[in-house]
Amino acid sequence: MYRARLERDFKHWIDKGLLQENAARAMLAEYDGRESTFRAGRVLLMLAALLLSASILLLVAANWEELPRLARVTGIVALVWGFHFAAAWLLQSGRTTFASAALVLGGAAFGGGIALIGQMYHLSGDAADAALLWFVGACLSALAFRSAAMATVAGGLAWLYFGTMLTENGFSTVVDWRLLSVPVLAVIVVLLVRFTDAGRARHLAYLLALSWLGWLYLDSPSLAFAVGLAVLGLVAFLVATLPGSPVRQLALDAGSAPAFYSFALALLGFTGLQYEAVGLTTEVATGTGALLVALLGIALAGAQNGAVRYLGYIAFAGELLYLAFETLGSMLGTSGFFLISGLVVACIAWLVIRIEGHMARTRQAEASR
């Protein structure tokens, strides 16, 4: 998607005489040569690695009882180390994509070994413990081979750990070290992403941290917690986007993630405040605050950050419809609610057109300087 847009922009600039065709071709070639660039062959190879992993594990499981215990352990260990040695050889040969696939196979074999050996020797523990051990193994592989693929696998395993913990404990807070283990895993994934240059995998860590905070609130909803989330998100967003902020340039260099996820955290806090609001006056006041935050997000980061812009639009529209339903919809009935909703959506459309026009004029003014 990004490459297609980039190619269209280059063609537009070439037609206007702003860019030389040779320079455009060179820039596209440089972009295509990046390791992180999407290629269908790489994706298909990773899918093949996952399918092969599943087939190996199912084949072993199907004949598990017929194999001697020593053969079972030896086979699992051989699979894990064999795939890792193959990955090392492939890296030495310059075949990085095949090396990544071999590492994924080795990581899958390691996870299967944890489950099968735990079952064979009746080791104590639960699924969350197994997922955590699997996560540690994936992290070691990512560090040893500086593998972006294994950093992504580690991010997925962090989600697996979080999911199994919720499945086993429901939404009751785990009062032990596991309470803080989820954000620790998110931080580890972020560090792995930076070390291995697996840029896209960072979203797994950010979404995990955001979901963990949402889970904590759902487990123990309170006004103080909702206020804390809203304030933390709003302060982080302002620090990342306000002109003159000492860390604004660092946030811009990091891409769209800092502004977007801090903005999402602020909106999550205001959603909690809306849930905690009692009485029409309090609901309207809280809703007005959420509307202002949505507009603030669009104003500060909407021009440079499409994710923030669209999230702000959705939050603004959703909050307006919610307030219309709570304040007027119940009094006017269903037909009145749809009438009010239509008027609200029309107002939103007008406001969005004005904002988009203002941002376009701002970009043109900056470009002409």
Side-chain angles (χ1 to χ4, degrees):
M1 182 182 296
Y2 173 71
R3 191 196 184 283
R5 187 171 71 249
L6 192 65
E7 192 171 6
R8 287 196 301 270
D9 288 340
F10 282 169
K11 185 177 185 303
H12 177 70
W13 294 330
I14 290 170
D15 293 339
K16 285 185 170 292
L18 300 174
L19 184 66
Q20 295 295 323
E21 188 173 353
N22 292 338
R25 282 202 299 267
M27 285 187 280
L28 282 176
E30 191 278 332
Y31 175 78
D32 291 336
R34 294 178 186 177
E35 189 66 27
S36 59
T37 303
F38 171 83
R39 291 181 182 175
R42 292 176 180 174
V43 175
L44 291 174
L45 187 59
M46 286 301 163
L47 290 175
L50 293 174
L51 292 172
L52 288 173
S53 301
S55 68
I56 291 171
L57 295 177
L58 289 173
L59 180 63
V60 173
N63 300 278
W64 194 248
E65 297 299 330
E66 301 177 7
L67 296 174
R69 179 169 296 187
L70 180 60
R72 302 174 193 176
V73 177
T74 303
I76 288 295
V77 172
L79 282 175
V80 174
W81 284 104
F83 283 126
H84 281 81
F85 278 122
W89 178 78
L90 289 166
L91 281 176
Q92 289 291 331
S93 304
R95 302 172 182 176
T96 56
T97 303
F98 286 94
S100 298
L103 286 175
V104 171
L105 286 167
F110 180 71
I114 293 172
L116 296 173
I117 291 176
Q119 180 185 16
M120 184 172 61
Y121 290 100
H122 306 288
L123 300 178
S124 60
D126 50 27
D129 292 332
L132 186 60
L133 181 58
W134 196 357
F135 171 82
V136 172
C139 290
L140 293 176
S141 290
L143 289 172
F145 291 86
R146 201 161 191 166
S147 169
M150 289 309 296
T152 305
V153 169
L157 291 175
W159 269 98
L160 176 64
Y161 171 75
F162 182 49
T164 53
M165 194 173 65
L166 287 184
T167 302
E168 293 172 352
N169 299 281
F171 275 92
S172 60
T173 302
V174 185
V175 189
D176 58 10
W177 59 271
R178 286 187 179 175
L179 187 63
L180 297 176
S181 60
V182 176
V184 171
L185 263 59
V187 171
I188 292 173
V189 172
V190 170
L191 294 176
L192 282 177
V193 164
R194 294 185 65 85
F195 179 71
T196 62
D197 196 24
R200 294 185 181 92
R202 71 189 188 278
H203 297 293
L204 292 171
Y206 297 148
L207 288 171
L208 180 63
L210 200 63
S211 300
W212 178 74
L213 289 171
W215 164 58
L216 289 183
Y217 175 76
L218 288 175
D219 179 67
S220 303
S222 67
L223 179 61
F225 197 1
V227 170
L229 292 178
V231 171
L232 178 62
L234 190 56
V235 169
F237 178 73
L238 292 175
V239 168
T241 58
L242 269 180
S245 170
V247 299
R248 182 173 183 266
Q249 190 56 48
L250 291 175
L252 290 175
D253 292 341
S256 62
F260 174 77
Y261 287 106
S262 57
F263 185 52
L265 179 59
L267 292 177
L268 178 64
F270 271 91
T271 302
L273 288 175
Q274 194 82 72
Y275 176 76
E276 298 291 337
V278 178
L280 183 60
T281 303
T282 307
E283 287 187 358
V284 171
T286 305
T288 302
L291 291 174
L292 291 175
V293 169
L295 291 176
L296 181 67
I298 295 171
L300 288 179
Q304 301 84 17
N305 195 321
V308 170
R309 182 167 69 250
Y310 292 122
L311 181 60
Y313 290 158
I314 293 171
F316 188 84
E319 189 61 43
L320 271 182
L321 291 174
Y322 173 79
L323 290 176
F325 177 78
E326 289 294 319
T327 57
L328 298 175
S330 58
M331 292 184 290
L332 298 177
T334 304
S335 61
F337 169 69
F338 283 115
L339 173 63
I340 296 297
S341 299
L343 294 175
V344 167
V345 172
C347 291
I348 293 171
W350 175 82
L351 182 62
V352 167
I353 291 171
R354 295 295 300 272
I355 291 173
E356 294 279 9
H358 173 73
M359 288 190 295
R361 289 191 296 271
T362 302
R363 286 195 294 267
Q364 290 175 357
E366 291 177 352
S368 62
R369 290 176 185 174

